[in-house]
């Protein structure tokens, strides 16, 4: 397999986060068929090609671009936390949209990305890698890097490693969602926004009702760049009603 990979052109691997299915422990569909499906999907996916052309680390960038165009979450000067940031394509989008490099004559924003995995450096972003959202220290580390210890937007594209056991994976996903929501409750500026990936399932409604108690406006979104066969959806929540100190 590795010798075949060596002969494929670089443009075949435009993204760093397209997970190789046969490398996922516990994944039931490993084997030749899974490899064939993965290669076929990569070749035919327009977002994979576009990510390569536009210099994004991952096709996921287009999910955030589409949701931001629809809901206007990001603008120059905002402080944004990107949870599950590796390999960094969402952070690339955020750095541009909040003017984190200060290249536009507009307010300069701040981008903090965190992930369990290492993340290649990105000018304009502060990355906390080997950082688990479930760890009690994470909230303090994130707040430490935020001016005023407060964020305007919290994003989560986190997903647990698939175990192959559906109910376990779904519970782990929900745990990630509730943990990032707790980070939002302690860190978001009143009026701030929250965007969180989840897998659509029976417990999505319970999570949504909880998010609705904290934000004035909550929408469920499936961006065009999200594969139709994927159960992933996003909650976009705006106008946080919490009481964190306004800085
Ligand atoms: C789909 S990827 C994110 C892709 C990213 N939005 C991008 O565009 O480059 C999901 C990420 O969530 C991270 N993740 C999963 N569980 C986590 C946890 N407990 N704490 C922090 N990150 C986690 C994974 O390591 C993985 O890198």
């Amino acid at each position: 397999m590795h010798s075949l990979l060596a002969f494929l052109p670089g443009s075949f691997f435009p993204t760093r986060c397209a997970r190789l299915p046969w490398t996922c422990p516990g994944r039931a569909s490993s084997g030749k068929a899974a490899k064939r499906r993965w290669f076929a999907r990569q070749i035919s996916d327009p977002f994979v090609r576009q990510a390569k052309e536009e210099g994004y680390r991952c096709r996921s960038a287009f999910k955030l671009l589409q949701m931001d165009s629809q809901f206007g979450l990001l603008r120059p000067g905002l402080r944004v936390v990107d949870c599950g940031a590796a390999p960094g394509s969402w952070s690339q989008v955020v750095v541009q949209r909040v003017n984190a490099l200060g290249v536009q004559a507009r307010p300069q924003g701040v981008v903090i990305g965190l992930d369990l995995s290492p993340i290649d450096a990105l000018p304009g972003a502060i990355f906390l890698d080997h950082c688990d959202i479930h760890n009690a220290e994470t909230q303090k580390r994130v707040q430490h890097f935020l001016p005023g210890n407060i964020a305007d937007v919290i994003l989560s594209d986190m997903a647990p490693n698939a175990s192959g056991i559906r109910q376990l994976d779904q519970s782990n996903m929900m745990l990630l969602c509730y943990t990032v929501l707790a980070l939002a409750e302690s860190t978001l500026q009143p009026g701030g926004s929250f965007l969180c990936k989840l897998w659509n399932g029976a417990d999505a409604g319970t999570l949504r009702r909880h998010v609705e108690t904290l934000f004035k406006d909550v929408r469920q979104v499936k961006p065009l760049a999200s594969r139709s066969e994927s159960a992933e959806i996003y909650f976009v929540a705006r106008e946080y009603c919490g009481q964190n100190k306004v800085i």
Side-chain angles (χ1 to χ4, degrees):
M1 189 65 223
H2 292 296
S3 54
L4 169 62
L5 297 183
F7 284 106
L8 288 167
S11 58
F12 194 74
F13 299 102
T15 71
R16 302 187 210 179
C17 66
R19 183 175 271 165
L20 304 171
W22 58 94
T23 64
C24 294
R27 183 142 176 154
S29 62
S30 59
K32 280 187 185 164
K35 287 176 200 169
R36 265 201 305 275
R37 276 198 301 277
W38 185 85
F39 280 111
R41 201 174 68 172
Q42 290 296 100
I43 287 170
S44 62
D45 187 331
F47 292 111
V48 170
R49 205 173 321 116
Q50 203 179 343
K52 176 74 178 172
E53 285 164 7
E54 296 183 23
Y56 288 115
R57 296 180 180 186
C58 187
R59 71 186 290 292
S60 303
F62 296 102
K63 300 177 197 173
L64 181 59
L65 284 165
Q66 288 163 7
M67 289 187 283
D68 187 42
S69 297
Q70 193 175 351
F71 296 103
L73 304 172
L74 305 171
R75 61 177 182 278
L78 296 188
R79 298 158 288 186
V80 180
V81 181
D82 178 10
C83 302
S89 78
W90 277 29
S91 290
Q92 288 178 289
V93 170
V94 182
V95 163
Q96 294 161 7
R97 297 223 164 170
V98 305
N99 187 32
L101 286 168
V103 290
Q104 308 160 31
R106 306 186 65 185
Q108 185 170 0
V110 173
V111 183
I112 315 289
L114 68 91
D115 204 288
L116 288 173
S117 301
I119 321 170
D120 288 348
L122 173 70
I126 298 165
F127 284 145
L128 311 175
D129 49 20
H130 304 292
C131 183
D132 187 343
I133 192 84
H134 298 308
N135 189 322
E137 282 299 303
T138 296
Q139 182 181 311
K140 282 190 213 149
R141 287 186 70 196
V142 167
Q143 289 177 346
H144 169 78
F145 286 103
L146 287 166
N149 311 121
I150 291 277
D152 301 291
V153 181
I154 295 199
L155 308 173
S156 172
D157 195 28
M158 291 187 292
N161 277 332
S163 69
I165 303 167
R166 203 175 166 163
Q167 274 183 327
L168 177 64
D169 292 340
Q170 180 66 9
S171 307
N172 287 338
M173 184 55 144
M174 278 295 138
L175 189 58
L176 284 172
C177 296
Y178 281 101
T179 307
V180 76
L181 192 57
L183 177 72
E185 283 190 69
S186 64
T187 312
L188 258 189
Q189 171 99 338
S193 309
F194 173 74
L195 189 167
C196 180
K197 175 160 82 182
L198 64 149
W199 291 329
N200 207 355
D203 34 16
T206 312
L207 175 65
R208 181 175 180 145
R209 282 188 288 283
H210 189 61
V211 178
E212 281 169 347
T213 64
L214 299 169
F215 293 83
K216 279 194 193 151
D217 183 68
V218 181
R219 309 290 172 97
Q220 179 177 315
V221 196
K222 175 87 174 167
L224 200 65
S226 176
R227 292 184 164 114
S228 54
E229 70 272 22
S230 162
E232 76 177 10
I233 54 171
Y234 292 84
F235 284 162
V236 177
R238 291 175 294 179
E239 296 189 59
Y240 177 56
C241 316
Q243 298 301 315
N244 293 320
K245 197 169 142 222
V246 182
I247 308 278

